[in-house]
């Protein structure tokens, strides 16, 4: 039995999410929603639970409490005889295949060219023909400004180029939701802009995105909604202008002050 969330306009709904590692509680009752076409940016200090929350959204981490819905469908669990049980691997994989994830480290296959990295999943997961997957991959590499690097191996690419290939690879699965986990934090400063440019373009095209980042300019300019997390809880959330310019929360103000001084 598939459990449906109420609002059909919601792409992500997190309800009282709890995640523990041993005796350490990383997420302590986190709730938020992401509307279709919305860009939600999660900010906060290291260790606040941002990355763990992102990994829970596509079930890379199993939650210990609460519920997460993706496009109205309960993720990772199903109801049997009135209680929640873990869903099948096949059902979890089906939902996860609709979620693009761009990691801090690029995670490209080193023995494959940029093009081969992008077509791998569409061929083996979506069962596209090599011709169809290649045509789409070349469109996506052009979209991220790397058409001429299609036959280059990752070690021949800069960090920014590798991350843009990783974005193209995620988009090749035609996701309904994109997750970005500090996608620019492993890059040299001069390469950050080329990745943020692609992310801005996706936002302008209406891609639903949840972005964990330390790039406050991106958060201020591109986000529809900003969530500030600290110590496993949401301290404050709202439109960028409210969080960045008019916060009355001491913890938010202290964090932003610390970021501005760096």
């Amino acid at each position: 039995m598939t459990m449906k969330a109420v609002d059909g306009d919601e792409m992500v709904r997190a309800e009282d999410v709890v995640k523990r590692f041993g005796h350490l509680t990383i997420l302590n009752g986190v709730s938020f929603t992401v509307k279709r076409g919305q860009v939600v940016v999660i900010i906060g200090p290291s260790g606040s639970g941002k990355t763990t929350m992102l990994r829970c959204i596509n079930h890379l981490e199993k939650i210990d409490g609460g519920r997460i819905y993706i496009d109205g469908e309960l993720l990772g669990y199903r109801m049997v005889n009135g209680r929640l049980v873990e869903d099948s691997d096949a059902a979890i994989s089906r939902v996860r295949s609709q979620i693009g994830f761009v990691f801090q480290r690029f995670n490209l296959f080193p023995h494959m060219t940029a093009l081969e990295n992008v077509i791998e999943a569409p061929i083996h997961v979506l069962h596209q023909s090599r011709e169809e997957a290649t045509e789409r991959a070349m469109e996506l590499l052009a979209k991220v400004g790397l058409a001429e690097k299609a036959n280059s191996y990752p070690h021949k690419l800069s960090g920014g180029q590798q991350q843009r290939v990783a974005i193209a690879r995620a988009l090749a699965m035609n996701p309904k939701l994109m997750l970005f986990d500090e996608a620019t934090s492993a890059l040299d400063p001069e390469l950050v802009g080329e990745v943020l440019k692609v992310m801005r373009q996706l936002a302008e095209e209406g891609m639903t995105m949840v972005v964990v980042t330390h790039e406050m300019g991106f958060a201020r300019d591109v986000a529809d909604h900003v969530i500030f997390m600290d110590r496993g809880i949401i301290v404050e959330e709202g439109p960028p202008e409210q969080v960045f310019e008019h916060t009355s929360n001491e913890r938010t103000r202290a964090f932003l002050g610390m970021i501005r001084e760096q």
Side-chain angles (χ1 to χ4, degrees):
M1 171 183 168
T2 299
M3 298 186 62
K4 290 287 182 182
V6 177
D7 188 344
D9 194 37
E10 291 174 350
M11 184 59 74
V12 181
R13 182 183 187 89
E15 296 179 349
D16 298 318
V17 173
V18 174
K19 176 62 186 177
R20 301 183 190 92
F21 291 112
H23 296 297
L24 196 61
T25 300
I26 305 297
L27 299 172
N28 193 7
V30 175
S31 299
F32 63 90
T33 60
V34 181
K35 299 286 189 182
R36 205 176 299 276
Q38 206 176 30
V39 178
V40 172
V41 174
I42 306 177
I43 62 173
S46 296
S48 59
K50 308 183 302 292
T51 289
T52 299
M53 187 66 237
L54 214 58
R55 291 173 64 85
C56 288
I57 289 175
N58 79 335
H59 208 64
L60 284 174
E61 299 288 355
K62 298 177 184 178
I63 61 177
D64 296 302
R67 297 179 182 186
I68 296 174
Y69 296 88
I70 303 296
D71 200 12
E73 189 172 350
L74 184 64
L75 173 66
Y77 301 90
R78 56 196 169 91
M79 191 69 81
V80 176
N81 297 327
R83 66 187 186 91
L84 286 177
V85 299
E86 189 159 0
D87 216 341
S88 66
D89 288 344
I92 292 169
S93 294
R94 179 180 55 77
V95 177
R96 190 183 284 154
S97 71
Q98 300 168 355
I99 305 172
F101 203 129
V102 179
F103 297 87
Q104 182 176 345
R105 297 287 170 183
F106 324 121
N107 293 349
L108 298 178
F109 296 116
H111 61 289
M112 294 182 176
T113 65
L115 177 62
E116 289 167 344
N117 266 280
V118 177
I119 67 175
E120 176 76 4
I123 288 174
H124 292 102
V125 179
L126 299 182
H127 307 296
Q128 292 179 2
S129 68
R130 178 169 291 273
E131 183 181 13
E132 180 186 4
T134 298
E135 183 179 348
R136 171 73 171 145
M138 288 305 299
E139 289 174 4
L140 290 170
L141 288 172
K143 182 187 185 77
V144 300
L146 290 173
E148 77 285 358
K149 298 291 186 181
N151 295 317
S152 298
Y153 287 90
H155 73 275
K156 294 285 192 182
L157 302 174
S158 71
Q161 290 170 335
Q162 289 186 59
Q163 193 61 294
R164 284 185 281 153
V165 173
I167 293 172
R169 180 178 62 178
L171 292 173
M173 291 293 289
N174 301 317
K176 57 175 71 171
L177 169 67
M178 285 286 286
L179 309 178
F180 292 86
D181 182 20
E182 300 192 16
T184 60
S185 63
L187 301 177
D188 293 333
E190 66 269 20
L191 302 177
V192 168
E194 64 190 46
V195 174
L196 291 180
K197 180 182 176 183
V198 174
M199 294 170 66
R200 288 172 189 268
Q201 182 183 349
L202 290 176
E204 288 168 6
E205 292 170 357
M207 173 63 74
T208 310
M209 298 162 60
V210 183
V211 181
V212 168
T213 187
H214 290 297
E215 299 292 336
M216 295 301 128
F218 177 88
R220 189 182 286 106
D221 296 344
V222 180
D224 299 298
H225 193 78
V226 176
I227 295 173
F228 171 54
M229 289 184 66
D230 192 16
R231 299 180 184 178
I233 64 168
I234 293 177
V235 175
E236 182 176 6
E237 61 178 310
E241 186 180 6
Q242 174 194 316
V243 174
F244 288 110
E245 310 299 338
H246 304 297
T247 180
S248 58
N249 187 287
E250 272 308 314
R251 285 160 82 185
T252 308
R253 190 179 294 128
F255 171 74
L256 293 175
M258 184 179 65
I259 289 284
R260 289 184 185 117
E261 289 170 10
Q262 291 177 353

